[in-house]
Amino acid sequence: MRVIIGSDHGGYRLKEEIKQWLQEKGIAFEDVGCDCPDSVDYPDYAQPVAERVAKKEFDRGILVCGTGIGMSIAANKVKGVRCAVVSDTFSARMSREHNDANVLAIGERVVGPGLAREIVEVFLETEFAGGRHQRRVEKIGALEE
Ligand code: RB5
């Protein structure tokens, strides 16, 4: 499992918490920043995460901002990216099983660090169910053409 992670200032502290959890679990990751809580623009961090997941350099991307919303809107502009904003573990599981989401967006101002860790764990461990969902995901891809 190769993970790439990024945040803006609104998600910086939660990104650091998630990185600590990834380290504890022995999951390899690359951090594209930001590197401190100073104000930055979230599309600048969504772009490298989304593009490198789309190129299949990484299996999954994790993006953190204040709400997760801006990051998800930006990431979903990149062809091949299916980014889900998630704030509960059920949605995290569904985003993988049904939607084959390859990027997770979380809001530091929405979920606490304990729940965020569980969301990340479910997101990374759950496989795509395929079957009828495969056809639907392919139709999402067709919208990009
Ligand atoms: C930054 O204040 C905030 O707008 C950003 O982190 C994010 O929540 C945007 O969707």
Side-chain angles (χ1 to χ4, degrees):
M1 174 68 66
R2 300 158 301 169
V3 173
I4 184 165
I5 188 166
S7 77
D8 72 354
H9 56 288
Y12 171 72
R13 287 177 187 82
L14 182 56
K15 172 169 69 71
E16 295 305 304
E17 297 259 3
I18 293 169
K19 282 167 57 183
Q20 191 181 329
W21 180 84
L22 292 170
Q23 265 159 1
E24 285 164 16
K25 292 285 179 182
I27 299 169
F29 65 87
E30 184 171 324
D31 179 8
V32 301
C34 61
D35 300 319
C36 70
D38 294 348
S39 185
V40 292
D41 298 332
Y42 57 82
D44 295 338
Y45 300 89
Q47 182 179 358
V49 168
E51 287 182 347
R52 295 178 72 187
V53 170
K55 284 185 200 158
K56 304 200 185 299
E57 285 179 43
F58 293 89
D59 302 301
R60 306 276 163 78
I62 300 171
L63 289 167
V64 193
C65 64
T67 60
I69 296 169
M71 285 293 200
S72 69
I73 291 171
N76 278 317
K77 297 293 182 192
V78 175
K79 187 176 175 181
V81 166
R82 290 175 300 282
C83 177
V85 194
V86 168
S87 47
D88 64 276
T89 53
F90 176 76
S91 300
R93 185 156 56 82
M94 288 300 104
S95 78
R96 290 289 311 133
E97 283 186 6
H98 287 197
N99 313 115
D100 199 15
N102 49 13
V103 178
L104 169 70
I106 313 186
E108 180 183 304
R109 299 169 189 160
V110 181
V111 298
L115 177 56
R117 284 174 180 226
E118 287 188 14
I119 287 169
V120 170
E121 184 166 24
V122 170
F123 182 76
L124 297 182
E125 289 183 352
T126 305
E127 294 298 324
F128 178 46
R132 67 189 187 280
H133 303 295
Q134 180 66 45
R135 182 180 69 245
R136 294 161 185 167
V137 167
E138 283 170 9
K139 287 186 177 184
I140 294 173
L143 293 171
E144 295 173 333
E145 302 306 326

